[in-house]
Short mmCIF file of all heavy atoms in Angstrom, two decimals:
data_model
loop_
_atom_site.label_atom_id
_atom_site.label_comp_id
_atom_site.label_asym_id
_atom_site.label_seq_id
_atom_site.Cartn_x
_atom_site.Cartn_y
_atom_site.Cartn_z
N LEU V 4 92.97 92.58 116.06
CA LEU V 4 92.39 93.48 115.06
C LEU V 4 93.14 94.81 115.03
O LEU V 4 93.37 95.39 113.94
CB LEU V 4 90.91 93.72 115.38
CG LEU V 4 89.91 92.61 115.02
CD1 LEU V 4 88.51 92.97 115.50
CD2 LEU V 4 89.91 92.39 113.50
N LEU V 5 93.51 95.29 116.22
CA LEU V 5 94.28 96.55 116.28
C LEU V 5 95.63 96.39 115.59
O LEU V 5 96.07 97.28 114.82
CB LEU V 5 94.46 96.96 117.74
CG LEU V 5 95.33 98.21 117.98
CD1 LEU V 5 94.69 99.45 117.35
CD2 LEU V 5 95.55 98.44 119.48
N GLU V 6 96.30 95.26 115.81
CA GLU V 6 97.60 95.02 115.17
C GLU V 6 97.45 94.97 113.64
O GLU V 6 98.25 95.57 112.90
CB GLU V 6 98.18 93.70 115.67
CG GLU V 6 98.70 93.76 117.09
CD GLU V 6 99.26 92.42 117.53
OE1 GLU V 6 98.60 91.39 117.26
OE2 GLU V 6 100.33 92.40 118.15
N ALA V 7 96.43 94.25 113.18
CA ALA V 7 96.22 94.14 111.73
C ALA V 7 95.89 95.51 111.13
O ALA V 7 96.37 95.86 110.01
CB ALA V 7 95.10 93.15 111.44
N ALA V 8 95.09 96.31 111.85
CA ALA V 8 94.74 97.64 111.34
C ALA V 8 95.97 98.54 111.28
O ALA V 8 96.14 99.32 110.32
CB ALA V 8 93.66 98.25 112.24
N MET V 9 96.84 98.46 112.29
CA MET V 9 98.05 99.30 112.28
C MET V 9 99.00 98.87 111.17
O MET V 9 99.64 99.73 110.52
CB MET V 9 98.74 99.21 113.64
CG MET V 9 97.95 99.86 114.77
SD MET V 9 98.85 99.87 116.33
CE MET V 9 100.20 100.97 115.92
N LEU V 10 99.09 97.55 110.92
CA LEU V 10 99.94 97.08 109.84
C LEU V 10 99.40 97.58 108.50
O LEU V 10 100.17 98.01 107.61
CB LEU V 10 100.01 95.56 109.86
CG LEU V 10 100.94 94.91 108.83
CD1 LEU V 10 102.38 95.37 109.05
CD2 LEU V 10 100.85 93.38 108.91
N LEU V 11 98.08 97.55 108.35
CA LEU V 11 97.47 98.06 107.12
C LEU V 11 97.66 99.57 107.00
O LEU V 11 97.85 100.11 105.89
CB LEU V 11 95.97 97.71 107.13
CG LEU V 11 95.25 97.70 105.77
CD1 LEU V 11 95.86 96.63 104.87
CD2 LEU V 11 93.77 97.44 105.97
N LEU V 12 97.65 100.28 108.14
CA LEU V 12 97.84 101.73 108.13
C LEU V 12 99.25 102.11 107.71
O LEU V 12 99.47 103.14 107.04
CB LEU V 12 97.53 102.30 109.52
CG LEU V 12 97.54 103.82 109.66
CD1 LEU V 12 96.42 104.43 108.80
CD2 LEU V 12 97.35 104.23 111.12
N VAL V 13 100.23 101.27 108.11
CA VAL V 13 101.61 101.54 107.72
C VAL V 13 101.77 101.49 106.21
O VAL V 13 102.50 102.29 105.60
CB VAL V 13 102.56 100.54 108.41
CG1 VAL V 13 103.97 100.63 107.81
CG2 VAL V 13 102.60 100.80 109.89
N LEU V 14 101.06 100.59 105.54
CA LEU V 14 101.21 100.42 104.11
C LEU V 14 100.29 101.34 103.30
O LEU V 14 100.66 101.78 102.20
CB LEU V 14 100.93 98.96 103.73
CG LEU V 14 101.90 97.91 104.30
CD1 LEU V 14 101.46 96.51 103.92
CD2 LEU V 14 103.32 98.19 103.81
N TYR V 15 99.10 101.62 103.82
CA TYR V 15 98.11 102.37 103.05
C TYR V 15 97.67 103.66 103.74
O TYR V 15 96.77 104.32 103.24
CB TYR V 15 96.88 101.50 102.80
CG TYR V 15 97.16 100.29 101.95
CD1 TYR V 15 97.31 99.05 102.55
CD2 TYR V 15 97.27 100.40 100.57
CE1 TYR V 15 97.57 97.92 101.78
CE2 TYR V 15 97.51 99.27 99.79
CZ TYR V 15 97.67 98.04 100.40
OH TYR V 15 97.91 96.93 99.64
N GLY V 16 98.29 104.05 104.81
CA GLY V 16 97.88 105.23 105.53
C GLY V 16 98.36 106.52 104.86
O GLY V 16 99.12 106.49 103.87
N PRO V 17 97.95 107.66 105.39
CA PRO V 17 98.34 108.95 104.78
C PRO V 17 99.84 109.23 104.87
O PRO V 17 100.36 110.04 104.10
CB PRO V 17 97.53 109.97 105.59
CG PRO V 17 97.19 109.27 106.87
CD PRO V 17 97.08 107.83 106.54
N PHE V 18 100.55 108.56 105.81
CA PHE V 18 101.99 108.81 105.95
C PHE V 18 102.83 107.72 105.31
O PHE V 18 104.04 107.66 105.52
CB PHE V 18 102.36 108.92 107.44
CG PHE V 18 101.62 110.02 108.15
CD1 PHE V 18 100.51 109.73 108.96
CD2 PHE V 18 102.00 111.35 108.00
CE1 PHE V 18 99.84 110.74 109.61
CE2 PHE V 18 101.31 112.36 108.65
CZ PHE V 18 100.22 112.05 109.45
N SER V 19 102.17 106.83 104.55
CA SER V 19 102.93 105.73 103.93
C SER V 19 103.93 106.24 102.90
O SER V 19 104.97 105.61 102.67
CB SER V 19 101.97 104.74 103.27
OG SER V 19 101.18 105.40 102.27
N GLY V 20 103.65 107.40 102.27
CA GLY V 20 104.57 107.93 101.26
C GLY V 20 105.86 108.47 101.86
O GLY V 20 106.86 108.62 101.14
N PHE V 21 105.87 108.80 103.15
CA PHE V 21 107.07 109.34 103.79
C PHE V 21 107.95 108.24 104.39
O PHE V 21 109.02 108.54 104.91
CB PHE V 21 106.68 110.31 104.91
CG PHE V 21 105.86 111.48 104.42
CD1 PHE V 21 104.48 111.48 104.49
CD2 PHE V 21 106.50 112.59 103.83
CE1 PHE V 21 103.73 112.53 104.04
CE2 PHE V 21 105.75 113.66 103.38
CZ PHE V 21 104.36 113.64 103.47
N LEU V 22 107.47 106.99 104.35
CA LEU V 22 108.23 105.88 104.92
C LEU V 22 109.00 105.17 103.83
O LEU V 22 108.63 105.20 102.66
CB LEU V 22 107.27 104.89 105.61
CG LEU V 22 106.45 105.45 106.79
CD1 LEU V 22 105.49 104.39 107.31
CD2 LEU V 22 107.38 105.93 107.90
N PRO V 23 110.12 104.51 104.19
CA PRO V 23 110.89 103.75 103.20
C PRO V 23 110.04 102.65 102.57
O PRO V 23 109.09 102.15 103.17
CB PRO V 23 112.05 103.18 104.01
CG PRO V 23 112.15 104.07 105.22
CD PRO V 23 110.76 104.53 105.52
N GLU V 24 110.37 102.28 101.37
CA GLU V 24 109.65 101.24 100.68
C GLU V 24 109.87 99.89 101.37
O GLU V 24 110.97 99.61 101.85
CB GLU V 24 110.14 101.14 99.22
CG GLU V 24 109.74 102.34 98.37
CD GLU V 24 108.25 102.39 98.13
OE1 GLU V 24 107.60 101.32 98.12
OE2 GLU V 24 107.71 103.51 97.96
N PRO V 25 108.85 99.05 101.41
CA PRO V 25 109.02 97.69 101.99
C PRO V 25 110.01 96.90 101.16
O PRO V 25 110.26 97.18 99.99
CB PRO V 25 107.62 97.09 101.92
CG PRO V 25 106.68 98.27 101.81
CD PRO V 25 107.44 99.32 101.05
N ARG V 26 110.57 95.86 101.80
CA ARG V 26 111.56 95.04 101.12
C ARG V 26 110.89 94.29 99.96
O ARG V 26 111.48 94.17 98.89
CB ARG V 26 112.19 94.07 102.12
CG ARG V 26 113.26 93.20 101.48
CD ARG V 26 113.99 92.35 102.52
NE ARG V 26 114.91 93.18 103.30
CZ ARG V 26 114.92 93.30 104.62
NH1 ARG V 26 113.99 92.65 105.34
NH2 ARG V 26 115.81 94.05 105.24
N HIS V 27 109.71 93.79 100.17
CA HIS V 27 108.94 93.13 99.13
C HIS V 27 107.55 93.75 99.16
O HIS V 27 106.68 93.31 99.92
CB HIS V 27 108.85 91.61 99.36
CG HIS V 27 110.20 90.96 99.52
ND1 HIS V 27 111.04 90.73 98.43
CD2 HIS V 27 110.86 90.50 100.62
CE1 HIS V 27 112.15 90.15 98.86
NE2 HIS V 27 112.07 90.00 100.19
N GLU V 28 107.34 94.78 98.38
CA GLU V 28 106.13 95.59 98.51
C GLU V 28 104.86 94.80 98.24
O GLU V 28 103.89 94.85 99.01
CB GLU V 28 106.22 96.78 97.55
CG GLU V 28 105.03 97.73 97.69
CD GLU V 28 105.19 98.98 96.82
OE1 GLU V 28 106.22 99.07 96.12
OE2 GLU V 28 104.28 99.84 96.84
N LEU V 29 104.80 94.06 97.15
CA LEU V 29 103.60 93.32 96.80
C LEU V 29 103.27 92.25 97.85
O LEU V 29 102.12 92.08 98.27
CB LEU V 29 103.77 92.68 95.41
CG LEU V 29 102.53 91.95 94.86
CD1 LEU V 29 101.35 92.92 94.74
CD2 LEU V 29 102.85 91.30 93.52
N PHE V 30 104.32 91.59 98.31
CA PHE V 30 104.12 90.56 99.34
C PHE V 30 103.65 91.18 100.66
O PHE V 30 102.80 90.63 101.35
CB PHE V 30 105.42 89.78 99.54
CG PHE V 30 105.31 88.69 100.57
CD1 PHE V 30 104.62 87.52 100.31
CD2 PHE V 30 105.90 88.85 101.83
CE1 PHE V 30 104.52 86.52 101.27
CE2 PHE V 30 105.79 87.87 102.78
CZ PHE V 30 105.11 86.68 102.51
N ALA V 31 104.21 92.38 100.96
CA ALA V 31 103.83 93.06 102.21
C ALA V 31 102.36 93.47 102.15
O ALA V 31 101.63 93.35 103.16
CB ALA V 31 104.71 94.27 102.43
N GLN V 32 101.90 93.95 101.01
CA GLN V 32 100.50 94.35 100.90
C GLN V 32 99.57 93.14 101.04
O GLN V 32 98.54 93.18 101.73
CB GLN V 32 100.27 95.03 99.55
CG GLN V 32 100.98 96.37 99.43
CD GLN V 32 100.86 96.96 98.05
OE1 GLN V 32 100.33 96.32 97.12
NE2 GLN V 32 101.33 98.21 97.87
N ALA V 33 99.91 92.03 100.35
CA ALA V 33 99.11 90.81 100.46
C ALA V 33 99.12 90.29 101.90
O ALA V 33 98.10 89.79 102.42
CB ALA V 33 99.64 89.75 99.50
N LEU V 34 100.27 90.43 102.56
CA LEU V 34 100.40 89.96 103.95
C LEU V 34 99.49 90.77 104.88
O LEU V 34 98.79 90.21 105.73
CB LEU V 34 101.86 90.09 104.39
CG LEU V 34 102.19 89.54 105.78
CD1 LEU V 34 102.10 88.03 105.79
CD2 LEU V 34 103.61 89.98 106.18
N ALA V 35 99.46 92.08 104.72
CA ALA V 35 98.63 92.94 105.59
C ALA V 35 97.15 92.66 105.38
O ALA V 35 96.37 92.57 106.34
CB ALA V 35 98.95 94.41 105.30
N ILE V 36 96.75 92.52 104.10
CA ILE V 36 95.32 92.25 103.83
C ILE V 36 94.93 90.88 104.38
O ILE V 36 93.85 90.70 104.97
CB ILE V 36 95.06 92.35 102.32
CG1 ILE V 36 95.30 93.79 101.83
CG2 ILE V 36 93.64 91.90 101.99
CD1 ILE V 36 95.20 93.95 100.32
N SER V 37 95.79 89.89 104.19
CA SER V 37 95.49 88.55 104.70
C SER V 37 95.39 88.55 106.22
O SER V 37 94.52 87.87 106.81
CB SER V 37 96.58 87.57 104.24
OG SER V 37 96.64 87.51 102.84
N TYR V 38 96.28 89.30 106.88
CA TYR V 38 96.26 89.33 108.36
C TYR V 38 94.96 89.97 108.86
O TYR V 38 94.37 89.52 109.85
CB TYR V 38 97.48 90.10 108.86
CG TYR V 38 97.66 90.00 110.36
CD1 TYR V 38 97.35 88.83 111.05
CD2 TYR V 38 98.15 91.08 111.09
CE1 TYR V 38 97.54 88.73 112.41
CE2 TYR V 38 98.33 91.00 112.46
CZ TYR V 38 98.03 89.81 113.13
OH TYR V 38 98.19 89.73 114.48
N VAL V 39 94.48 91.01 108.16
CA VAL V 39 93.21 91.63 108.55
C VAL V 39 92.07 90.63 108.41
O VAL V 39 91.20 90.51 109.29
CB VAL V 39 92.94 92.89 107.70
CG1 VAL V 39 91.51 93.39 107.93
CG2 VAL V 39 93.94 93.98 108.02
N PHE V 40 92.09 89.89 107.29
CA PHE V 40 91.02 88.91 107.06
C PHE V 40 91.04 87.82 108.15
O PHE V 40 89.99 87.45 108.70
CB PHE V 40 91.21 88.29 105.66
CG PHE V 40 90.19 87.23 105.34
CD1 PHE V 40 88.88 87.56 105.03
CD2 PHE V 40 90.56 85.88 105.35
CE1 PHE V 40 87.96 86.58 104.73
CE2 PHE V 40 89.64 84.90 105.05
CZ PHE V 40 88.33 85.25 104.74
N VAL V 41 92.24 87.31 108.47
CA VAL V 41 92.35 86.27 109.51
C VAL V 41 91.94 86.83 110.87
O VAL V 41 91.25 86.16 111.66
CB VAL V 41 93.78 85.72 109.54
CG1 VAL V 41 93.97 84.81 110.75
CG2 VAL V 41 94.08 84.96 108.25
N ALA V 42 92.32 88.07 111.17
CA ALA V 42 91.96 88.68 112.46
C ALA V 42 90.45 88.84 112.60
O ALA V 42 89.88 88.62 113.68
CB ALA V 42 92.65 90.03 112.60
#
């Protein structure tokens, strides 16, 4: 759960705007949400 929350924080956290864009942004967002649900 901690890993899934940190992955979600990387994409949607307050510092996400200062980080480089993901290679596949839409897929990365779906991946983080799915991982949280599975966790």
Side-chain angles (χ1 to χ4, degrees):
L4 282 176
L5 176 63
E6 286 180 316
M9 292 185 66
L10 184 61
L11 201 62
L12 186 64
V13 169
L14 296 177
Y15 296 101
F18 301 101
S19 59
F21 300 96
L22 298 177
E24 291 291 332
R26 181 173 286 124
H27 306 285
E28 184 175 1
L29 185 60
F30 181 73
Q32 293 174 353
L34 185 70
I36 295 174
S37 300
Y38 189 36
V39 170
F40 178 74
V41 171

